Amino acid sequence: MDAKADVPMLAFDNAARVYGKGDKAVRALGPVTLEVMPGELVAIMGPSGSGKSTLLSLAGALDVPTEGRVCIHGKDLSQQSMAELAELRRRVIGFVFQDLNLLPGLTAIENVALPLELDGMKLSRARAAAAEALNGVKLSSMADRFPDDLSGGEQQRVAIARAHVGPRQLMLADEPTGALDSVTGELVMRLLRQQCDRGRTVVLVTHDAAHAAWADRVLYLRDGLLVAPVEAALPSSLAETAGRA
Amino acid sequence: MSVRNSLLAILASDPAHGYGLKSSFEESTAGAWPLNVGQVYTTLGRLERDGLVQAEPSEEEGPRQTWRITDLGREVLEEWYASPVTSDPPARDELTLKVLLAAAGDDVDVSAIIHKERTATMERLQQLTRHKQKADPDKELPWLLLLDALILKASAEINWLDLCEERLEHRAQSKDGGADGR
C-alpha cells in the first residue's frame, strides 16, 4: 500500500466498542475521533482499563467497532470482507507486543520472514526482505540465532523488524518497552522513532511517560474517552538556557 | 547548587584563573546553570579566607591570578563527594505546592489543574527527548547526562500527577458513597 501523505494512515470516526447489551452493556471505548497521518508517531497513555488495548485492537482490525468507523488509509474496516481484513493484517499492519511472541523454533531471520512467507512470497525474496529489516534494527549479525540465545532487548528488536518487514506501513505497539531495562527501552524507542522518520506510522500504547515523549503527539485515554487537549504554555526552554536553541 | 564545592571540584584537576573556572564549570554541566564571573570571584575570596584555595605566587593580580586547591580544600571536596545529597525537609517545588493546596481547597477544579500541568510537563518532556535524539553520546556526554536527569524528573512528575488524579478520584467516589449511605 502506498502511503499517500494527505490520507490518514489510521482514522477513528466516532468509533466505540461496547460489550454486552441493555443493562449489562459495558462501554470499553469511545466514541473516539482520531486521525494519525503517515510518518506520525502517536503515543496513547492512560490508566489500566481506560481502553488503550481496545483502541489498539480496533486499529489493528482484530476487533470491530460497535459504533462509528475505523479506517486504515481510507479503507473503512467495516466494509471489508474477512479475507480483506486478513490481508490488511498481513500486508499493512505490524504488531509489537510486550511479550514478544517470537517462535522459539525459528531463528531471528526466519521469524522476521514468516509473515511474508505466509503471505505467499517466495522464500528467497522473503529472506532478503527479512535480512534488510534486521539490518534496520542493527541485528544483522544475530540473524541465525534462536530467540532463546538473544537478550530481551534483541528479541524486541527482532519483533520490531518482523512488524515492519516488507510493505507494512502501520505499526501498533502495545507496551513494547514494558519488559526492558531503561537503556534497552530507549533503544527500542529510538528504533520506532526512526521507522516514523522513514515514513512508517506508529501507534504506541505505553504507561511510561519518558517513552511516550518520543512521539509527535501524546494522547490520554480516560474511561474510554480521549481527554481533550489543553493549550499548555511551554516553560522557557532548556536549550535556550544552555545556548543550544 | 553548591558553587563552592563545584569550584573545588574543578580546581582538584588543575589550577585555573577565575574566567577559566567559569568556563570549565559550564562545560562540565552542559551550561545548565550559568555562573557569572562576579559570583566566581566572590566564592574564591571565601574559599581563600577558609584556607581551601590559594593564589599561586605570581606578579599578576586580579583576573589573571591563578588559583589552586589546598590539602584542606581536597579534604572538604572528598567529604562532599562522600556525603549523599539529602533533601530533608524536601526542597519546596511549586508544582507539589500548587497541587497540595488545590486538593485542600474548596471549589478548586483540581483535575483541570492536574491535566494542564501534565500536558505542560509532557511538552517539556517531548522537547527534552528531541534534544536527546540529536545529542552525540561520545562528544556531548555532560549534556546527555543532564538531559537524562531532566527527562527522568519530568517523567516522575507525570507519574505523580497520574497518582494524584487517581487518589482524588477515589476520594470523590468515597465522598459520594458516604453521602448515599446517610
Side-chain angles (χ1 to χ4, degrees):
Chain A
M1 177 184 286
D2 287 335
K4 288 190 191 115
D6 54 344
V7 179
M9 182 48 72
L10 175 67
F12 278 58
D13 176 13
N14 280 305
R17 180 65 169 97
V18 179
Y19 294 98
K21 281 184 180 162
D23 291 348
K24 288 181 183 163
V26 177
R27 182 171 284 266
L29 183 79
V32 163
T33 295
L34 162 71
E35 284 188 351
V36 183
M37 301 308 287
E40 224 186 347
L41 201 174
V42 171
I44 314 270
M45 298 189 76
S48 306
S50 58
K52 305 191 294 289
S53 298
T54 307
L55 186 144
L56 223 49
S57 299
L58 294 179
L62 297 170
D63 194 3
V64 286
T66 42
E67 301 162 19
R69 299 189 312 155
V70 174
C71 297
I72 290 184
H73 209 229
K75 277 189 183 170
D76 181 348
L77 297 185
S78 65
Q79 304 298 314
Q80 312 296 309
S81 67
M82 292 307 275
E84 285 167 330
L85 286 178
E87 189 180 308
L88 267 178
R89 286 194 296 266
R90 281 200 312 271
R91 295 192 178 162
V92 180
I93 310 165
F95 294 91
V96 185
F97 301 100
Q98 180 177 335
D99 43 356
L100 309 151
N101 293 317
L102 296 179
L103 296 174
L106 300 182
T107 62
I109 196 166
E110 286 165 350
N111 263 289
V112 177
L114 187 65
L116 300 178
E117 287 179 47
L118 291 176
D119 197 32
M121 192 183 276
K122 268 186 160 178
L123 188 64
S124 56
R125 276 187 60 207
R127 287 294 170 94
E132 194 184 317
L134 279 175
N135 188 33
V137 297
K138 299 187 174 62
L139 268 187
S140 294
S141 59
M142 310 272 182
D144 295 323
R145 301 225 185 148
F146 288 94
D148 281 353
D149 300 328
L150 298 171
S151 70
E154 288 161 354
Q155 288 186 44
Q156 192 58 291
R157 280 148 72 191
V158 174
I160 290 174
R162 183 185 54 185
H164 76 252
V165 71
R168 295 196 273 182
Q169 291 298 321
L170 174 62
M171 285 169 74
L172 303 173
D174 195 355
E175 300 280 5
T177 56
L180 305 176
D181 63 70
S182 29
V183 173
T184 316
E186 186 187 311
L187 180 67
V188 165
M189 288 316 304
R190 276 183 194 275
L191 288 171
L192 291 178
R193 180 72 255 175
Q194 271 172 16
Q195 292 302 323
C196 293
D197 295 343
R198 289 174 194 159
R200 289 198 168 87
T201 311
V202 174
V203 178
L204 160 78
V205 160
T206 180
H207 68 274
D208 188 326
H211 291 159
W214 287 84
D216 299 300
R217 271 194 293 156
V218 182
L219 305 173
Y220 286 90
L221 267 179
R222 202 160 177 82
D223 301 325
L225 297 173
L226 287 174
V227 180
V230 292
E231 285 296 321
L234 266 184
S236 66
S237 101
L238 171 83
E240 280 166 29
T241 320
R244 285 164 193 266
Chain B
M1 179 193 65
S2 167
V3 177
R4 196 177 121 101
N5 290 318
S6 304
L7 296 190
L8 288 177
I10 292 163
L11 288 174
S13 306
D14 280 311
H17 53 78
Y19 196 81
L21 275 169
K22 169 187 154 65
S23 312
S24 299
F25 173 79
E26 290 178 358
E27 195 179 314
S28 310
T29 55
W33 301 279
L35 266 187
N36 69 52
V37 167
Q39 213 176 351
V40 173
Y41 287 121
T42 314
T43 311
L44 280 170
R46 289 196 196 120
L47 290 168
E48 186 184 31
R49 180 198 64 200
D50 297 341
L52 307 182
V53 300
Q54 63 187 43
E56 288 201 332
S58 141
E59 308 256 305
E60 289 194 77
E61 291 231 342
R64 300 303 307 167
Q65 197 159 42
T66 301
W67 297 86
R68 65 167 56 246
I69 191 168
T70 62
D71 290 345
L72 184 59
R74 282 189 195 278
E75 273 177 40
V76 168
L77 177 65
E78 276 166 29
E79 176 68 25
W80 183 55
Y81 278 139
S83 323
V85 178
T86 55
S87 43
D88 186 25
R92 191 166 67 191
D93 87 274
E94 196 173 343
L95 176 68
T96 312
L97 196 68
K98 194 195 273 187
V99 174
L100 293 186
L101 289 174
D106 293 327
D107 299 328
V108 186
D109 187 349
V110 197
S111 59
I113 293 172
I114 289 177
H115 182 46
K116 192 151 193 166
E117 291 291 348
R118 186 169 47 205
T119 305
T121 306
M122 180 50 85
E123 285 186 17
R124 195 171 75 232
L125 195 52
Q126 285 175 286
Q127 201 177 62
L128 291 167
T129 305
R130 282 193 280 273
H131 287 306
K132 179 166 164 163
Q133 204 184 339
K134 290 184 215 144
D136 181 336
D138 297 322
K139 294 183 190 148
E140 298 178 291
L141 189 60
W143 173 234
L144 200 54
L145 293 177
L146 172 69
L147 287 172
D148 282 338
L150 297 173
I151 284 171
L152 290 174
K153 279 180 188 162
S155 155
E157 209 169 277
I158 290 179
N159 288 347
W160 180 70
L161 289 168
D162 286 345
L163 205 53
C164 289
E165 194 170 45
E166 271 177 48
R167 291 202 199 283
L168 288 165
E169 202 165 274
H170 187 74
R171 179 182 74 171
Q173 281 168 359
S174 316
K175 272 189 186 166
D176 288 351
D180 288 349
R182 257 176 248 146

